[in-house]
Amino acid sequence: MTNDDIEIIGKNVKDMYGTFMGKVVGTITEIDGSIQSVGIDCGSQGLQQIQFEQLVVQGENVIFIPKWRLDSQRLIREKQLTLRRLKALMDIVSENDDMKADAEIIHEKYKFKLASLDEMEAEIKSKLEARLIELDTQMKSAKMLSFDAKVQFKSNEISEATFETVKSCTTEVIEHVTHEQSEISNVKSRIADLELEVQEITVPAEKNIQESAVSYLETPEPQQVVQTMLPEAPTEPIVTPSEPIEAQVPPMPEPPTESEVTFAIPEPPQQVTSETSHDNNDNDWLARMEAQ
């Protein structure tokens, strides 16, 4: 047995949130003597084999670290390092174009690494979602136990001390579940941020250049559209000016003046006819006088 075996065997195991899991009863080692897994007596759940990398010795206790946490930390660490190297590579190429041919080989290597990390990321995401479902079930069970204990206490089925014990235990479970849920949410947000950073470095770098080139070549089209729209704008101001309208208004009253003149012409004949009728009467009077 190694010193690690002596330190870990017989100690209580708790998860990183303080929940008791069981006791270490033995280890399985590799040929070189390193510990491969640890056997933990989990009571009703039986003897479980836990990978040694998931256990950390702290004093008299052994802390169990969930597998999803180790995998997500490894993913985030490797992805951050790959992104830093890609940025450094791009800076080197931008400073010296002669290094472009040599940098292309390393660039492909890092792109392949990111692709492999994407596969790992998909697996971790599925594990996180599954764990969230388990935590939600545990949360509902703890709340149900607490509420049922309250009902039993109100119905005088259990004592107040028993109710307080149930309440304290269920509250502790709820706090542990809430803590793990918040940690999973933080891990998911960090993974999402890294995804955006990868897209900014790999894909958008080429797309932005192409889009900018296309937009530059297509600049005459919007200008033509603006030019075609320009004639439409003056159509509104043409209606607004009053000067051309006033120029057309004066000719309109002229025809009535002419009509008045035309109507005034027949008036003299009426006077003439009246005078002529008066002359005729005079002629008749003279004729009668001569006849006498």
Side-chain angles (χ1 to χ4, degrees):
M1 274 191 182
T2 62
N3 293 330
D4 293 334
D5 295 331
I6 299 173
E7 291 180 357
I8 198 172
I9 292 176
K11 292 186 176 181
N12 294 329
V13 180
K14 296 182 179 181
D15 64 9
M16 57 186 301
Y17 308 105
T19 303
F20 177 79
M21 294 181 56
K23 182 179 292 187
V24 178
V25 297
T27 60
I28 295 178
T29 59
E30 298 286 355
I31 297 176
D32 59 358
S34 60
I35 300 176
Q36 179 182 4
S37 62
V38 177
I40 300 175
D41 183 8
C42 297
S44 61
Q45 295 182 359
L47 184 64
Q48 295 187 5
Q49 295 289 337
I50 306 297
Q51 295 295 320
F52 182 68
E53 64 176 355
Q54 294 182 250
L55 301 175
V56 177
V57 179
Q58 288 186 353
E60 296 299 325
N61 295 317
V62 178
I63 307 301
F64 169 77
I65 302 175
K67 189 70 164 58
W68 65 261
R69 196 171 190 275
L70 293 177
D71 293 341
S72 60
Q73 286 180 345
R74 185 181 300 110
L75 171 67
I76 293 172
R77 183 172 58 254
E78 292 183 4
K79 210 163 194 178
Q80 287 177 342
L81 179 60
T82 305
L83 289 174
R84 286 200 299 269
R85 291 189 177 184
L86 275 174
K87 291 179 180 179
L89 184 64
M90 294 172 65
D91 292 339
I92 293 173
V93 173
S94 62
E95 294 174 358
N96 188 359
D97 292 337
D98 296 337
M99 301 291 294
K100 186 175 182 180
D102 298 332
E104 188 66 24
I105 300 174
I106 302 177
H107 185 266
E108 292 297 327
K109 174 184 176 182
Y110 291 149
K111 287 179 63 177
F112 178 78
K113 179 63 176 179
L114 288 175
S116 63
L117 291 176
D118 290 339
E119 297 177 359
M120 183 189 300
E121 180 178 328
E123 296 178 0
I124 292 174
K125 285 182 177 180
S126 62
K127 290 180 181 179
L128 294 177
E129 295 298 331
R131 182 56 182 168
L132 286 175
I133 295 174
E134 294 177 358
L135 293 174
D136 185 65
T137 303
Q138 292 181 15
M139 177 73 76
K140 292 179 180 178
S141 299
K143 290 181 178 180
M144 185 181 296
L145 289 172
S146 178
F147 185 78
D148 191 76
K150 187 174 183 179
V151 172
Q152 294 179 35
F153 171 66
K154 290 296 184 180
S155 62
N156 295 324
E157 297 179 46
I158 60 176
S159 62
E160 183 177 0
T162 303
F163 168 68
E164 293 297 333
T165 302
V166 174
K167 183 179 178 181
S168 177
C169 294
T170 53
T171 301
E172 186 177 356
V173 172
I174 291 173
E175 290 177 355
H176 295 168
V177 171
T178 304
H179 189 186
E180 188 171 358
Q181 285 176 339
S182 62
E183 189 173 1
I184 290 175
S185 299
N186 293 334
V187 170
K188 290 175 65 176
S189 63
R190 291 180 63 187
I191 292 175
D193 293 339
L194 287 176
E195 287 180 358
L196 294 177
E197 192 172 353
V198 170
Q199 292 178 1
E200 291 176 358
I201 293 179
T202 57
V203 179
E206 299 177 356
K207 285 187 176 180
N208 290 335
I209 296 174
Q210 294 178 356
E211 291 177 357
S212 61
V214 172
S215 62
Y216 176 77
L217 295 174
E218 292 179 352
T219 47
E221 293 184 0
Q223 291 178 356
Q224 293 177 359
V225 173
V226 173
Q227 292 176 358
T228 56
M229 296 299 293
L230 287 175
E232 297 179 1
T235 56
E236 296 180 359
I238 289 174
V239 180
T240 54
S242 58
E243 295 178 359
I245 296 175
E246 293 178 353
Q248 295 177 359
V249 173
M252 297 301 295
E254 293 179 0
T257 55
E258 295 177 357
S259 63
E260 291 176 356
V261 173
T262 55
F263 288 113
I265 294 172
E267 291 179 359
Q270 291 178 359
Q271 295 176 357
V272 172
T273 55
S274 62
E275 292 177 355
T276 53
S277 62
H278 181 69
D279 294 338
N280 291 330
N281 292 329
D282 293 339
N283 294 329
D284 292 339
W285 180 76
L286 293 174
R288 285 194 301 268
M289 291 296 293
E290 291 176 356
Q292 294 179 356

